[in-house]
Amino acid sequence: MIVTRTVPTPVGPLALLARDGILIAAGFTADPSDMFVRLSPQLQAEGMRMGELPEAAQAVADYLDGKLEALDTIPVSQPGTPTRQRLYEALRAVPAGTTVRYAELARNAGLPPTAARAAGSACAQNLIAPFVPCHRVLPAAGGYGGYYYGPPVKQWLLNHEARLINV
């Protein structure tokens, strides 16, 4: 059974979905079913129910309170090829308050810089934002680039982290 909980944040509700204590989806939406439909059919077949998810909810509260590493402590799992998994691991290794470009993310995952497009695809398909912090990846051309939950959410997350790192 997939357990869900929604927690408030300054940029809107954050839906959390977990299976057996491992976060499998998270996203800025008030309706967990928005995330549930992005899961594999096998996971969807397990069904969904509201629950507590105290560790993940506390990690979000701690992150918002300034303990930026709190999200890193929550175990996560999402589907993907071995290359995609390396990109997700590289994403989780990007420190709060810093950003990387897509080519740099590819290099950090052991891929050539020409795999920037694969890095962008991994970010676009990321099911566990902000725990897998795709908001920390920016386009080489400048600006914030795209973000599944909208550029204002990405900008808020980056500003929140930078404000706390630069204190």
PDB file of all heavy atoms in Angstrom, residues 25-60:
ATOM      1  N   ALA A  25       7.639   9.105  -4.179  1.00  0.00           N
ATOM      2  CA  ALA A  25       7.190  10.277  -4.933  1.00  0.00           C
ATOM      3  C   ALA A  25       7.000  11.433  -3.964  1.00  0.00           C
ATOM      4  O   ALA A  25       6.638  11.221  -2.805  1.00  0.00           O
ATOM      5  CB  ALA A  25       5.894   9.995  -5.686  1.00  0.00           C
ATOM      6  N   ALA A  26       7.235  12.617  -4.468  1.00  0.00           N
ATOM      7  CA  ALA A  26       6.981  13.840  -3.721  1.00  0.00           C
ATOM      8  C   ALA A  26       6.876  14.959  -4.737  1.00  0.00           C
ATOM      9  O   ALA A  26       7.628  14.993  -5.711  1.00  0.00           O
ATOM     10  CB  ALA A  26       8.093  14.129  -2.719  1.00  0.00           C
ATOM     11  N   GLY A  27       5.921  15.835  -4.511  1.00  0.00           N
ATOM     12  CA  GLY A  27       5.760  16.943  -5.442  1.00  0.00           C
ATOM     13  C   GLY A  27       4.868  18.022  -4.885  1.00  0.00           C
ATOM     14  O   GLY A  27       4.038  17.772  -4.004  1.00  0.00           O
ATOM     15  N   PHE A  28       5.033  19.212  -5.413  1.00  0.00           N
ATOM     16  CA  PHE A  28       4.300  20.373  -4.937  1.00  0.00           C
ATOM     17  C   PHE A  28       2.885  20.381  -5.522  1.00  0.00           C
ATOM     18  O   PHE A  28       2.618  20.985  -6.559  1.00  0.00           O
ATOM     19  CB  PHE A  28       5.069  21.652  -5.280  1.00  0.00           C
ATOM     20  CG  PHE A  28       6.335  21.774  -4.486  1.00  0.00           C
ATOM     21  CD1 PHE A  28       7.537  21.329  -4.995  1.00  0.00           C
ATOM     22  CD2 PHE A  28       6.308  22.313  -3.204  1.00  0.00           C
ATOM     23  CE1 PHE A  28       8.702  21.423  -4.250  1.00  0.00           C
ATOM     24  CE2 PHE A  28       7.465  22.405  -2.443  1.00  0.00           C
ATOM     25  CZ  PHE A  28       8.667  21.959  -2.972  1.00  0.00           C
ATOM     26  N   THR A  29       2.008  19.678  -4.819  1.00  0.00           N
ATOM     27  CA  THR A  29       0.599  19.587  -5.178  1.00  0.00           C
ATOM     28  C   THR A  29      -0.198  19.291  -3.911  1.00  0.00           C
ATOM     29  O   THR A  29       0.314  18.644  -2.997  1.00  0.00           O
ATOM     30  CB  THR A  29       0.350  18.488  -6.236  1.00  0.00           C
ATOM     31  OG1 THR A  29      -1.054  18.389  -6.493  1.00  0.00           O
ATOM     32  CG2 THR A  29       0.878  17.138  -5.796  1.00  0.00           C
ATOM     33  N   ALA A  30      -1.437  19.762  -3.885  1.00  0.00           N
ATOM     34  CA  ALA A  30      -2.304  19.489  -2.735  1.00  0.00           C
ATOM     35  C   ALA A  30      -2.946  18.118  -2.829  1.00  0.00           C
ATOM     36  O   ALA A  30      -3.460  17.607  -1.842  1.00  0.00           O
ATOM     37  CB  ALA A  30      -3.393  20.559  -2.637  1.00  0.00           C
ATOM     38  N   ASP A  31      -2.896  17.522  -4.003  1.00  0.00           N
ATOM     39  CA  ASP A  31      -3.578  16.256  -4.230  1.00  0.00           C
ATOM     40  C   ASP A  31      -2.566  15.139  -4.496  1.00  0.00           C
ATOM     41  O   ASP A  31      -1.974  15.092  -5.578  1.00  0.00           O
ATOM     42  CB  ASP A  31      -4.531  16.392  -5.422  1.00  0.00           C
ATOM     43  CG  ASP A  31      -5.382  15.163  -5.657  1.00  0.00           C
ATOM     44  OD1 ASP A  31      -5.190  14.145  -4.966  1.00  0.00           O
ATOM     45  OD2 ASP A  31      -6.251  15.235  -6.547  1.00  0.00           O
ATOM     46  N   PRO A  32      -2.340  14.237  -3.531  1.00  0.00           N
ATOM     47  CA  PRO A  32      -1.374  13.159  -3.733  1.00  0.00           C
ATOM     48  C   PRO A  32      -1.659  12.301  -4.965  1.00  0.00           C
ATOM     49  O   PRO A  32      -0.741  11.711  -5.528  1.00  0.00           O
ATOM     50  CB  PRO A  32      -1.489  12.323  -2.454  1.00  0.00           C
ATOM     51  CG  PRO A  32      -2.039  13.253  -1.438  1.00  0.00           C
ATOM     52  CD  PRO A  32      -2.931  14.208  -2.191  1.00  0.00           C
ATOM     53  N   SER A  33      -2.904  12.257  -5.408  1.00  0.00           N
ATOM     54  CA  SER A  33      -3.198  11.439  -6.592  1.00  0.00           C
ATOM     55  C   SER A  33      -2.526  12.014  -7.839  1.00  0.00           C
ATOM     56  O   SER A  33      -2.305  11.282  -8.805  1.00  0.00           O
ATOM     57  CB  SER A  33      -4.702  11.264  -6.790  1.00  0.00           C
ATOM     58  OG  SER A  33      -5.330  12.496  -6.980  1.00  0.00           O
ATOM     59  N   ASP A  34      -2.164  13.322  -7.828  1.00  0.00           N
ATOM     60  CA  ASP A  34      -1.405  13.885  -8.942  1.00  0.00           C
ATOM     61  C   ASP A  34      -0.054  13.183  -9.073  1.00  0.00           C
ATOM     62  O   ASP A  34       0.456  13.020 -10.180  1.00  0.00           O
ATOM     63  CB  ASP A  34      -1.158  15.382  -8.739  1.00  0.00           C
ATOM     64  CG  ASP A  34      -2.412  16.222  -8.855  1.00  0.00           C
ATOM     65  OD1 ASP A  34      -3.422  15.735  -9.393  1.00  0.00           O
ATOM     66  OD2 ASP A  34      -2.374  17.375  -8.386  1.00  0.00           O
ATOM     67  N   MET A  35       0.525  12.782  -7.938  1.00  0.00           N
ATOM     68  CA  MET A  35       1.788  12.055  -7.948  1.00  0.00           C
ATOM     69  C   MET A  35       1.548  10.563  -8.162  1.00  0.00           C
ATOM     70  O   MET A  35       2.306   9.899  -8.850  1.00  0.00           O
ATOM     71  CB  MET A  35       2.548  12.279  -6.633  1.00  0.00           C
ATOM     72  CG  MET A  35       2.924  13.721  -6.362  1.00  0.00           C
ATOM     73  SD  MET A  35       3.879  14.487  -7.684  1.00  0.00           S
ATOM     74  CE  MET A  35       5.291  13.414  -7.779  1.00  0.00           C
ATOM     75  N   PHE A  36       0.492  10.053  -7.573  1.00  0.00           N
ATOM     76  CA  PHE A  36       0.173   8.626  -7.652  1.00  0.00           C
ATOM     77  C   PHE A  36       0.040   8.178  -9.105  1.00  0.00           C
ATOM     78  O   PHE A  36       0.539   7.111  -9.473  1.00  0.00           O
ATOM     79  CB  PHE A  36      -1.116   8.347  -6.867  1.00  0.00           C
ATOM     80  CG  PHE A  36      -1.485   6.903  -6.764  1.00  0.00           C
ATOM     81  CD1 PHE A  36      -0.805   6.064  -5.894  1.00  0.00           C
ATOM     82  CD2 PHE A  36      -2.519   6.379  -7.520  1.00  0.00           C
ATOM     83  CE1 PHE A  36      -1.141   4.725  -5.787  1.00  0.00           C
ATOM     84  CE2 PHE A  36      -2.869   5.049  -7.422  1.00  0.00           C
ATOM     85  CZ  PHE A  36      -2.179   4.218  -6.551  1.00  0.00           C
ATOM     86  N   VAL A  37      -0.581   8.984  -9.954  1.00  0.00           N
ATOM     87  CA  VAL A  37      -0.778   8.593 -11.352  1.00  0.00           C
ATOM     88  C   VAL A  37       0.523   8.576 -12.136  1.00  0.00           C
ATOM     89  O   VAL A  37       0.572   8.001 -13.224  1.00  0.00           O
ATOM     90  CB  VAL A  37      -1.825   9.483 -12.067  1.00  0.00           C
ATOM     91  CG1 VAL A  37      -3.178   9.363 -11.401  1.00  0.00           C
ATOM     92  CG2 VAL A  37      -1.369  10.925 -12.149  1.00  0.00           C
ATOM     93  N   ARG A  38       1.584   9.160 -11.598  1.00  0.00           N
ATOM     94  CA  ARG A  38       2.891   9.139 -12.260  1.00  0.00           C
ATOM     95  C   ARG A  38       3.686   7.879 -11.908  1.00  0.00           C
ATOM     96  O   ARG A  38       4.736   7.625 -12.502  1.00  0.00           O
ATOM     97  CB  ARG A  38       3.694  10.385 -11.892  1.00  0.00           C
ATOM     98  CG  ARG A  38       3.050  11.683 -12.409  1.00  0.00           C
ATOM     99  CD  ARG A  38       3.850  12.905 -12.046  1.00  0.00           C
ATOM    100  NE  ARG A  38       5.145  12.902 -12.737  1.00  0.00           N
ATOM    101  CZ  ARG A  38       6.168  13.659 -12.372  1.00  0.00           C
ATOM    102  NH1 ARG A  38       6.074  14.461 -11.326  1.00  0.00           N
ATOM    103  NH2 ARG A  38       7.298  13.605 -13.040  1.00  0.00           N
ATOM    104  N   LEU A  39       3.197   7.100 -10.944  1.00  0.00           N
ATOM    105  CA  LEU A  39       3.866   5.860 -10.551  1.00  0.00           C
ATOM    106  C   LEU A  39       3.607   4.765 -11.567  1.00  0.00           C
ATOM    107  O   LEU A  39       2.667   4.837 -12.359  1.00  0.00           O
ATOM    108  CB  LEU A  39       3.377   5.417  -9.166  1.00  0.00           C
ATOM    109  CG  LEU A  39       3.642   6.376  -8.009  1.00  0.00           C
ATOM    110  CD1 LEU A  39       3.001   5.838  -6.729  1.00  0.00           C
ATOM    111  CD2 LEU A  39       5.130   6.605  -7.814  1.00  0.00           C
ATOM    112  N   SER A  40       4.413   3.718 -11.498  1.00  0.00           N
ATOM    113  CA  SER A  40       4.230   2.576 -12.401  1.00  0.00           C
ATOM    114  C   SER A  40       2.889   1.901 -12.132  1.00  0.00           C
ATOM    115  O   SER A  40       2.356   1.980 -11.015  1.00  0.00           O
ATOM    116  CB  SER A  40       5.356   1.558 -12.194  1.00  0.00           C
ATOM    117  OG  SER A  40       5.197   0.927 -10.926  1.00  0.00           O
ATOM    118  N   PRO A  41       2.336   1.208 -13.118  1.00  0.00           N
ATOM    119  CA  PRO A  41       1.083   0.479 -12.898  1.00  0.00           C
ATOM    120  C   PRO A  41       1.187  -0.534 -11.753  1.00  0.00           C
ATOM    121  O   PRO A  41       0.220  -0.734 -11.013  1.00  0.00           O
ATOM    122  CB  PRO A  41       0.836  -0.227 -14.237  1.00  0.00           C
ATOM    123  CG  PRO A  41       1.542   0.626 -15.247  1.00  0.00           C
ATOM    124  CD  PRO A  41       2.756   1.156 -14.525  1.00  0.00           C
ATOM    125  N   GLN A  42       2.355  -1.142 -11.572  1.00  0.00           N
ATOM    126  CA  GLN A  42       2.537  -2.101 -10.485  1.00  0.00           C
ATOM    127  C   GLN A  42       2.361  -1.430  -9.125  1.00  0.00           C
ATOM    128  O   GLN A  42       1.729  -1.986  -8.230  1.00  0.00           O
ATOM    129  CB  GLN A  42       3.913  -2.782 -10.561  1.00  0.00           C
ATOM    130  CG  GLN A  42       4.117  -3.648 -11.775  1.00  0.00           C
ATOM    131  CD  GLN A  42       4.542  -2.852 -13.018  1.00  0.00           C
ATOM    132  OE1 GLN A  42       4.738  -1.637 -12.984  1.00  0.00           O
ATOM    133  NE2 GLN A  42       4.650  -3.550 -14.134  1.00  0.00           N
ATOM    134  N   LEU A  43       2.928  -0.255  -8.959  1.00  0.00           N
ATOM    135  CA  LEU A  43       2.774   0.466  -7.699  1.00  0.00           C
ATOM    136  C   LEU A  43       1.341   0.975  -7.537  1.00  0.00           C
ATOM    137  O   LEU A  43       0.778   0.913  -6.447  1.00  0.00           O
ATOM    138  CB  LEU A  43       3.771   1.619  -7.599  1.00  0.00           C
ATOM    139  CG  LEU A  43       5.222   1.221  -7.364  1.00  0.00           C
ATOM    140  CD1 LEU A  43       6.132   2.434  -7.438  1.00  0.00           C
ATOM    141  CD2 LEU A  43       5.390   0.502  -6.033  1.00  0.00           C
ATOM    142  N   GLN A  44       0.753   1.468  -8.599  1.00  0.00           N
ATOM    143  CA  GLN A  44      -0.627   1.942  -8.520  1.00  0.00           C
ATOM    144  C   GLN A  44      -1.572   0.820  -8.100  1.00  0.00           C
ATOM    145  O   GLN A  44      -2.548   1.054  -7.388  1.00  0.00           O
ATOM    146  CB  GLN A  44      -1.072   2.529  -9.853  1.00  0.00           C
ATOM    147  CG  GLN A  44      -0.423   3.854 -10.170  1.00  0.00           C
ATOM    148  CD  GLN A  44      -0.904   4.418 -11.482  1.00  0.00           C
ATOM    149  OE1 GLN A  44      -2.032   4.195 -11.898  1.00  0.00           O
ATOM    150  NE2 GLN A  44      -0.035   5.169 -12.151  1.00  0.00           N
ATOM    151  N   ALA A  45      -1.256  -0.399  -8.514  1.00  0.00           N
ATOM    152  CA  ALA A  45      -2.116  -1.542  -8.175  1.00  0.00           C
ATOM    153  C   ALA A  45      -2.154  -1.792  -6.662  1.00  0.00           C
ATOM    154  O   ALA A  45      -3.090  -2.418  -6.164  1.00  0.00           O
ATOM    155  CB  ALA A  45      -1.630  -2.803  -8.902  1.00  0.00           C
ATOM    156  N   GLU A  46      -1.180  -1.300  -5.929  1.00  0.00           N
ATOM    157  CA  GLU A  46      -1.158  -1.479  -4.478  1.00  0.00           C
ATOM    158  C   GLU A  46      -2.175  -0.594  -3.764  1.00  0.00           C
ATOM    159  O   GLU A  46      -2.498  -0.825  -2.603  1.00  0.00           O
ATOM    160  CB  GLU A  46       0.242  -1.183  -3.925  1.00  0.00           C
ATOM    161  CG  GLU A  46       1.280  -2.179  -4.379  1.00  0.00           C
ATOM    162  CD  GLU A  46       2.630  -1.922  -3.747  1.00  0.00           C
ATOM    163  OE1 GLU A  46       2.692  -1.238  -2.699  1.00  0.00           O
ATOM    164  OE2 GLU A  46       3.630  -2.412  -4.305  1.00  0.00           O
ATOM    165  N   GLY A  47      -2.625   0.444  -4.438  1.00  0.00           N
ATOM    166  CA  GLY A  47      -3.578   1.361  -3.816  1.00  0.00           C
ATOM    167  C   GLY A  47      -2.879   2.434  -3.011  1.00  0.00           C
ATOM    168  O   GLY A  47      -1.658   2.421  -2.829  1.00  0.00           O
ATOM    169  N   MET A  48      -3.687   3.369  -2.508  1.00  0.00           N
ATOM    170  CA  MET A  48      -3.148   4.527  -1.806  1.00  0.00           C
ATOM    171  C   MET A  48      -4.040   4.828  -0.609  1.00  0.00           C
ATOM    172  O   MET A  48      -5.253   4.712  -0.683  1.00  0.00           O
ATOM    173  CB  MET A  48      -3.137   5.715  -2.779  1.00  0.00           C
ATOM    174  CG  MET A  48      -2.619   6.996  -2.218  1.00  0.00           C
ATOM    175  SD  MET A  48      -2.520   8.331  -3.465  1.00  0.00           S
ATOM    176  CE  MET A  48      -4.239   8.733  -3.717  1.00  0.00           C
ATOM    177  N   ARG A  49      -3.400   5.205   0.511  1.00  0.00           N
ATOM    178  CA  ARG A  49      -4.159   5.620   1.688  1.00  0.00           C
ATOM    179  C   ARG A  49      -3.403   6.736   2.396  1.00  0.00           C
ATOM    180  O   ARG A  49      -2.183   6.849   2.298  1.00  0.00           O
ATOM    181  CB  ARG A  49      -4.394   4.454   2.641  1.00  0.00           C
ATOM    182  CG  ARG A  49      -3.149   3.957   3.347  1.00  0.00           C
ATOM    183  CD  ARG A  49      -3.468   2.964   4.468  1.00  0.00           C
ATOM    184  NE  ARG A  49      -2.276   2.407   5.048  1.00  0.00           N
ATOM    185  CZ  ARG A  49      -1.513   3.005   5.979  1.00  0.00           C
ATOM    186  NH1 ARG A  49      -1.834   4.190   6.429  1.00  0.00           N
ATOM    187  NH2 ARG A  49      -0.428   2.421   6.456  1.00  0.00           N
ATOM    188  N   MET A  50      -4.137   7.567   3.111  1.00  0.00           N
ATOM    189  CA  MET A  50      -3.516   8.638   3.886  1.00  0.00           C
ATOM    190  C   MET A  50      -2.808   8.028   5.099  1.00  0.00           C
ATOM    191  O   MET A  50      -3.258   7.020   5.640  1.00  0.00           O
ATOM    192  CB  MET A  50      -4.573   9.639   4.350  1.00  0.00           C
ATOM    193  CG  MET A  50      -5.281  10.363   3.208  1.00  0.00           C
ATOM    194  SD  MET A  50      -4.174  11.297   2.138  1.00  0.00           S
ATOM    195  CE  MET A  50      -3.724  12.628   3.222  1.00  0.00           C
ATOM    196  N   GLY A  51      -1.719   8.643   5.507  1.00  0.00           N
ATOM    197  CA  GLY A  51      -0.966   8.171   6.660  1.00  0.00           C
ATOM    198  C   GLY A  51      -0.182   9.309   7.272  1.00  0.00           C
ATOM    199  O   GLY A  51      -0.431  10.480   6.990  1.00  0.00           O
ATOM    200  N   GLU A  52       0.790   8.962   8.080  1.00  0.00           N
ATOM    201  CA  GLU A  52       1.552   9.975   8.821  1.00  0.00           C
ATOM    202  C   GLU A  52       2.876  10.344   8.169  1.00  0.00           C
ATOM    203  O   GLU A  52       3.225  11.497   8.080  1.00  0.00           O
ATOM    204  CB  GLU A  52       1.786   9.497  10.260  1.00  0.00           C
ATOM    205  CG  GLU A  52       0.514   9.453  11.082  1.00  0.00           C
ATOM    206  CD  GLU A  52      -0.155  10.816  11.203  1.00  0.00           C
ATOM    207  OE1 GLU A  52       0.544  11.804  11.505  1.00  0.00           O
ATOM    208  OE2 GLU A  52      -1.371  10.890  10.980  1.00  0.00           O
ATOM    209  N   LEU A  53       3.685   9.368   7.791  1.00  0.00           N
ATOM    210  CA  LEU A  53       5.023   9.579   7.233  1.00  0.00           C
ATOM    211  C   LEU A  53       5.819  10.588   8.068  1.00  0.00           C
ATOM    212  O   LEU A  53       6.285  11.620   7.568  1.00  0.00           O
ATOM    213  CB  LEU A  53       4.942  10.040   5.770  1.00  0.00           C
ATOM    214  CG  LEU A  53       4.198   9.113   4.814  1.00  0.00           C
ATOM    215  CD1 LEU A  53       4.141   9.697   3.419  1.00  0.00           C
ATOM    216  CD2 LEU A  53       4.833   7.736   4.791  1.00  0.00           C
ATOM    217  N   PRO A  54       5.991  10.294   9.348  1.00  0.00           N
ATOM    218  CA  PRO A  54       6.602  11.283  10.249  1.00  0.00           C
ATOM    219  C   PRO A  54       8.031  11.665   9.891  1.00  0.00           C
ATOM    220  O   PRO A  54       8.399  12.844  10.039  1.00  0.00           O
ATOM    221  CB  PRO A  54       6.529  10.614  11.619  1.00  0.00           C
ATOM    222  CG  PRO A  54       6.365   9.155  11.346  1.00  0.00           C
ATOM    223  CD  PRO A  54       5.647   9.058  10.025  1.00  0.00           C
ATOM    224  N   GLU A  55       8.837  10.728   9.418  1.00  0.00           N
ATOM    225  CA  GLU A  55      10.232  11.065   9.112  1.00  0.00           C
ATOM    226  C   GLU A  55      10.316  12.033   7.937  1.00  0.00           C
ATOM    227  O   GLU A  55      11.040  13.035   7.995  1.00  0.00           O
ATOM    228  CB  GLU A  55      11.057   9.800   8.826  1.00  0.00           C
ATOM    229  CG  GLU A  55      11.245   8.906  10.032  1.00  0.00           C
ATOM    230  CD  GLU A  55      10.085   7.920  10.239  1.00  0.00           C
ATOM    231  OE1 GLU A  55       9.186   7.829   9.364  1.00  0.00           O
ATOM    232  OE2 GLU A  55      10.081   7.259  11.285  1.00  0.00           O
ATOM    233  N   ALA A  56       9.592  11.745   6.871  1.00  0.00           N
ATOM    234  CA  ALA A  56       9.636  12.624   5.699  1.00  0.00           C
ATOM    235  C   ALA A  56       9.027  13.982   6.023  1.00  0.00           C
ATOM    236  O   ALA A  56       9.567  15.025   5.617  1.00  0.00           O
ATOM    237  CB  ALA A  56       8.912  11.975   4.522  1.00  0.00           C
ATOM    238  N   ALA A  57       7.911  13.994   6.740  1.00  0.00           N
ATOM    239  CA  ALA A  57       7.279  15.268   7.112  1.00  0.00           C
ATOM    240  C   ALA A  57       8.209  16.098   7.997  1.00  0.00           C
ATOM    241  O   ALA A  57       8.316  17.319   7.824  1.00  0.00           O
ATOM    242  CB  ALA A  57       5.952  15.007   7.808  1.00  0.00           C
ATOM    243  N   GLN A  58       8.896  15.447   8.925  1.00  0.00           N
ATOM    244  CA  GLN A  58       9.833  16.169   9.790  1.00  0.00           C
ATOM    245  C   GLN A  58      11.015  16.694   8.992  1.00  0.00           C
ATOM    246  O   GLN A  58      11.509  17.798   9.242  1.00  0.00           O
ATOM    247  CB  GLN A  58      10.313  15.279  10.940  1.00  0.00           C
ATOM    248  CG  GLN A  58      11.178  16.012  11.950  1.00  0.00           C
ATOM    249  CD  GLN A  58      10.441  17.171  12.622  1.00  0.00           C
ATOM    250  OE1 GLN A  58       9.355  16.969  13.163  1.00  0.00           O
ATOM    251  NE2 GLN A  58      11.010  18.362  12.583  1.00  0.00           N
ATOM    252  N   ALA A  59      11.475  15.924   8.024  1.00  0.00           N
ATOM    253  CA  ALA A  59      12.585  16.374   7.182  1.00  0.00           C
ATOM    254  C   ALA A  59      12.192  17.639   6.418  1.00  0.00           C
ATOM    255  O   ALA A  59      13.001  18.567   6.287  1.00  0.00           O
ATOM    256  CB  ALA A  59      13.020  15.269   6.223  1.00  0.00           C
ATOM    257  N   VAL A  60      10.962  17.690   5.929  1.00  0.00           N
ATOM    258  CA  VAL A  60      10.497  18.895   5.232  1.00  0.00           C
ATOM    259  C   VAL A  60      10.475  20.071   6.199  1.00  0.00           C
ATOM    260  O   VAL A  60      10.960  21.164   5.880  1.00  0.00           O
ATOM    261  CB  VAL A  60       9.114  18.669   4.593  1.00  0.00           C
ATOM    262  CG1 VAL A  60       8.543  19.975   4.042  1.00  0.00           C
ATOM    263  CG2 VAL A  60       9.187  17.618   3.490  1.00  0.00           C
TER     264      VAL A  60
END
